[in-house]
Amino acid sequence: MLIKVISSIVIIISFTLIGGIHANTYSNRTKLLSQLLISLQMLETEISYSATPLPILLSNIGKKSKEDIGSIFLKASEILSKKEGYTFSYLWSMILDSEGMALDLYPEDLEIFKQLGNNLGATDINNQIKHIRLIMEELRRNHEDAIIAEKRNVKLYKQLGLLAGFAIAIVLF
Amino acid sequence: MINANNYFVNKIEASQIPIKQVEEYLCPEVRCHIKGLPTDFKGAIEEIRLRVNKPLMVYGNYSDYFVGTSGQLLKNEYNAVITNKKNIENTLNFISNYSMYAVEEELKRGYITIEGGHRIGITGRIIRDEKGIKAMKEFNGLNFRISREKKGVSAAIINYLYDLGEFQNTLIVSPPQCGKTTLLRDIIRCISNGIPQQKIKGMKVGVVDERSEIGASCQGIPQMDIGIRTDLLDSCPKAEGMLMLIRAMSPQVIATDEIGKESDSLAIEEALKAGIKLITTVHGKSIEDISSKKVIGAIVKSRIFKRIIILSNKNDVGTIEAIIDGDTMKNLLSKPLKNKVVS
């Protein structure tokens, strides 16, 4: 009897945790997207006011950004400073392919983030600003979707985990 | 630490540092061809040219060559590597350090100076507005001009420029491509550092570098050695720059390149009034040639310049034909000085 009670409790707790973890991916996405928007805003400001060269600029942004997003900028800056001869768009999509998977972003978010590399640094200031604003606009739309999805799903998956735990425990009892 | 063997190796590498610095800025496709060039040619290379859909070319040892796929020098273009628009765009990205937005001003002038003082000329489509040239887009050609600092080219003549330990106003007269800027730069370095062997003290030198050739500045910092007591205004119009230096930096000598405008002579007068010595250059072949020019002719006739150096490339680049005393108009040299310095 005691064993049954204990194992039921364990099942309930673990299912609740699984639900919680899954729910977290939704709130993580929202957080990441808003951090990304902040980083891009910094990028735009730096380019338009101080015309800092890209390798230095990316490392500055990387240091100021939150860990997950920052590490991508830092990595890009590090590879650029080595001057191995990659074009920026190639290098950027390479970094996002390897590092982006670990982030709680949707493929469509990553795709937009990747587009940033197509043009960054390759045109004059006005076009750079237009390009960054366009990317930000698209990300903002995804950010809004992410907020809606977060509101809807976080509670849902937390409760679903708990209930599934109970259901299985009852069936097994 | 340093043994003879090591020293020898370093010396070989030193002559190739300039080309190594430039290689970093080429796109990978072009870079591998240039890397394959014969070693002795790398030491003498002066230009690398990329043009859209035209063969890759290099210039050195007084002639130009096409470059083959593994870096061999070719006399005709049949097997030469063709450079395309993508190569040029990628190379420009590296030159601008992945930041085309940061080099807008340089593009307007048509060249970018990179670390080491090498200059890259750029051609493309110019976009204009009512104020003049606004930007350059759709690039079609690049010319890497590899610079080699020739320290010591003024060693043979520097003593002629001093009279009783005092520096004399100097004018360098030279046709294009005879090394006049190189000579000017080295003289500036000597004046600024002083000449300890002759017990000549260094002087404060102000340089107005309108075309960024004297200091070859990269992001405002001179890439060439122009001496320890030298202040340099980069890309500054000469007349304004000279006045700025007089007011702000209290120089003892002012150096500029290629004077000839009306406004320049006013600035020169101002400098002389303040007791500042001058050294400058002018395009020309001889005293008679420059005397016929309006502004500079008048300055020469007023005997402001006490030393006039005439350059030519009759025998070799940088031959010093004569050093003329501005007061007596006599040549101080008994015969032309061949002044090739192997760096």
Side-chain angles (χ1 to χ4, degrees):
Chain A
M1 183 62 191
L2 189 66
I3 294 169
K4 270 192 177 177
V5 170
I6 290 172
S7 55
S8 307
I9 291 170
V10 169
I11 287 172
I12 291 167
I13 290 173
S14 50
F15 269 82
T16 314
L17 284 178
I18 290 170
I21 289 167
H22 191 73
N24 264 343
T25 60
Y26 287 96
S27 48
N28 273 347
R29 181 185 172 214
T30 328
K31 255 187 238 161
L32 280 174
L33 283 173
S34 69
Q35 283 168 16
L36 197 51
L37 282 169
I38 295 169
S39 300
L40 288 179
Q41 185 59 57
M42 287 195 270
L43 198 65
E44 188 199 315
T45 319
E46 287 268 343
I47 286 182
S48 59
Y49 290 107
S50 60
T52 322
L54 206 53
I56 300 168
L57 178 55
L58 288 176
S59 102
N60 286 349
I61 303 268
K63 281 177 203 152
K64 281 190 232 162
S65 303
K66 291 270 161 46
E67 261 171 50
D68 301 334
I69 300 292
S71 70
I72 290 179
F73 286 108
L74 284 177
K75 180 124 195 198
S77 151
E78 190 189 313
I79 300 180
L80 282 187
S81 338
K82 280 189 201 155
K83 292 191 177 161
E84 280 167 343
Y86 298 116
T87 60
F88 185 71
S89 59
Y90 171 76
L91 186 144
W92 187 248
S93 67
M94 205 174 64
I95 292 172
L96 285 189
D97 282 343
S98 66
E99 310 268 307
M101 290 302 147
L103 299 176
D104 281 329
L105 288 174
Y106 281 12
E108 59 257 40
D109 303 332
L110 275 178
E111 202 45 50
I112 299 171
F113 196 19
K114 218 184 258 186
Q115 274 173 26
L116 179 71
N118 290 348
N119 221 340
L120 196 66
T123 56
D124 59 13
I125 291 180
N126 286 338
N127 281 319
Q128 289 292 299
I129 293 171
K130 275 185 212 155
H131 177 62
I132 295 172
R133 289 212 177 133
L134 185 73
I135 302 279
M136 281 172 71
E137 201 47 55
E138 287 181 38
L139 280 178
R140 207 165 280 142
R141 214 174 302 136
N142 284 18
H143 184 227
E144 277 159 19
D145 287 347
I147 292 173
I148 294 168
E150 185 189 349
K151 271 187 190 149
R152 196 176 50 216
N153 292 329
V154 166
K155 229 177 173 183
L156 177 78
Y157 280 101
K158 274 186 182 157
Q159 287 172 352
L160 202 66
L162 184 70
L163 292 176
F166 268 112
I168 290 169
I170 288 164
V171 169
L172 292 178
F173 211 73
Chain B
M1 275 289 273
I2 301 165
N3 58 36
N5 214 346
N6 214 337
Y7 178 72
F8 183 65
V9 171
N10 286 341
K11 211 170 173 190
I12 287 180
E13 276 173 358
S15 71
Q16 303 202 0
I17 286 171
I19 179 80
K20 284 233 171 79
Q21 286 173 330
V22 167
E23 269 170 13
E24 275 190 1
Y25 293 91
L26 291 162
C27 74
E29 294 89 359
V30 177
R31 193 189 297 183
C32 71
H33 304 310
I34 296 295
K35 273 210 161 120
L37 288 175
T39 320
D40 52 337
F41 186 77
K42 276 187 181 178
I45 189 166
E46 282 173 41
E47 286 183 354
I48 303 170
R49 284 178 181 274
L50 285 74
R51 298 182 179 99
V52 173
N53 299 334
K54 295 272 163 30
L56 174 64
M57 293 183 80
V58 290
Y59 179 87
N61 288 337
Y62 304 105
S63 65
D64 59 359
Y65 301 93
F66 302 98
V67 181
T69 40
S70 54
Q72 62 274 53
L73 299 172
L74 306 170
K75 268 290 166 201
N76 58 49
E77 72 260 38
Y78 300 115
N79 291 316
V81 177
I82 305 290
T83 47
N84 58 31
K85 201 170 165 59
K86 200 88 214 143
N87 294 143
I88 288 179
E89 277 169 6
N90 287 346
T91 303
L92 258 174
N93 262 318
F94 302 139
I95 295 168
S96 68
N97 204 355
Y98 300 93
S99 321
M100 294 300 279
Y101 57 82
V103 294
E104 280 176 32
E105 281 306 311
E106 283 89 342
L107 287 177
K108 271 194 229 172
R109 287 185 310 193
Y111 63 83
I112 296 177
T113 311
I114 55 172
E115 254 171 75
H118 314 291
R119 175 168 294 191
I120 297 142
I122 304 154
T123 53
R125 192 166 66 85
I126 295 293
I127 294 163
R128 290 193 308 172
D129 62 5
E130 58 285 354
K131 275 182 249 154
I133 292 173
K134 188 166 160 254
M136 196 197 291
K137 279 186 178 161
E138 282 137 34
F139 307 99
N140 61 33
L142 294 176
N143 178 17
F144 285 74
R145 289 160 61 191
I146 292 144
S147 99
R148 290 199 164 69
E149 200 171 13
K150 294 196 167 59
K151 275 195 201 176
V153 283
S154 70
I157 57 152
I158 191 79
N159 286 338
Y160 292 100
L161 308 182
Y162 285 88
D163 193 13
L164 302 172
E166 200 182 337
F167 182 73
Q168 303 291 309
N169 293 331
T170 303
L171 178 69
I172 302 172
V173 181
S174 158
Q177 297 280 310
C178 289
K180 98 178 109 28
T181 306
T182 315
L183 183 64
L184 176 66
R185 184 189 303 132
D186 203 54
I187 293 175
I188 293 170
R189 187 179 63 84
C190 288
I191 303 170
S192 174
N193 288 348
I195 313 164
Q197 298 92 321
Q198 314 281 339
K199 299 223 165 62
I200 291 171
K201 279 190 191 153
M203 290 194 280
K204 291 178 277 180
V205 185
V207 180
V208 188
D209 198 1
E210 183 163 8
R211 303 190 305 166
S212 297
E213 279 184 341
I214 304 174
S217 298
C218 173
Q219 289 169 0
I221 297 159
Q223 299 292 306
M224 300 294 188
D225 184 1
I226 50 170
I228 42 181
R229 295 181 188 81
T230 307
D231 306 300
L232 179 135
L233 279 174
D234 185 35
S235 328
C236 180
K238 277 180 285 273
E240 282 103 318
M242 283 162 81
L243 295 175
M244 279 168 78
L245 282 175
I246 295 169
R247 281 189 224 114
M249 304 307 286
S250 74
Q252 292 162 298
V253 179
I254 285 186
T256 72
D257 213 354
E258 317 223 341
I259 56 162
K261 273 194 258 164
E262 203 74 55
S263 55
D264 297 345
S265 66
L266 289 174
I268 287 177
E269 250 171 59
E270 202 62 37
L272 291 172
K273 249 188 262 168
I276 295 164
K277 300 291 179 195
L278 287 171
I279 175 160
T280 182
T281 68
V282 68
H283 271 295
K285 286 197 188 86
S286 60
I287 292 277
E288 297 75 47
D289 188 21
I290 55 165
S291 300
S292 60
K293 287 179 186 166
K294 208 173 135 202
V295 177
I296 195 74
I299 296 174
V300 170
K301 275 178 200 137
S302 66
R303 309 252 153 125
I304 287 171
F305 292 105
K306 305 291 182 201
R307 296 286 184 273
I308 301 171
I309 304 172
I310 316 271
L311 292 185
S312 78
N313 51 3
K314 262 179 213 156
N315 297 314
D316 209 337
V317 176
T319 304
I320 293 158
E321 287 288 320
I323 298 174
I324 293 164
D325 186 314
D327 284 328
T328 58
M329 285 293 165
K330 270 187 194 144
N331 189 354
L332 299 172
L333 291 180
S334 51
K335 64 174 176 44
L337 272 178
K338 234 179 133 177
N339 197 29
K340 181 157 170 118
V341 173
V342 184
S343 63

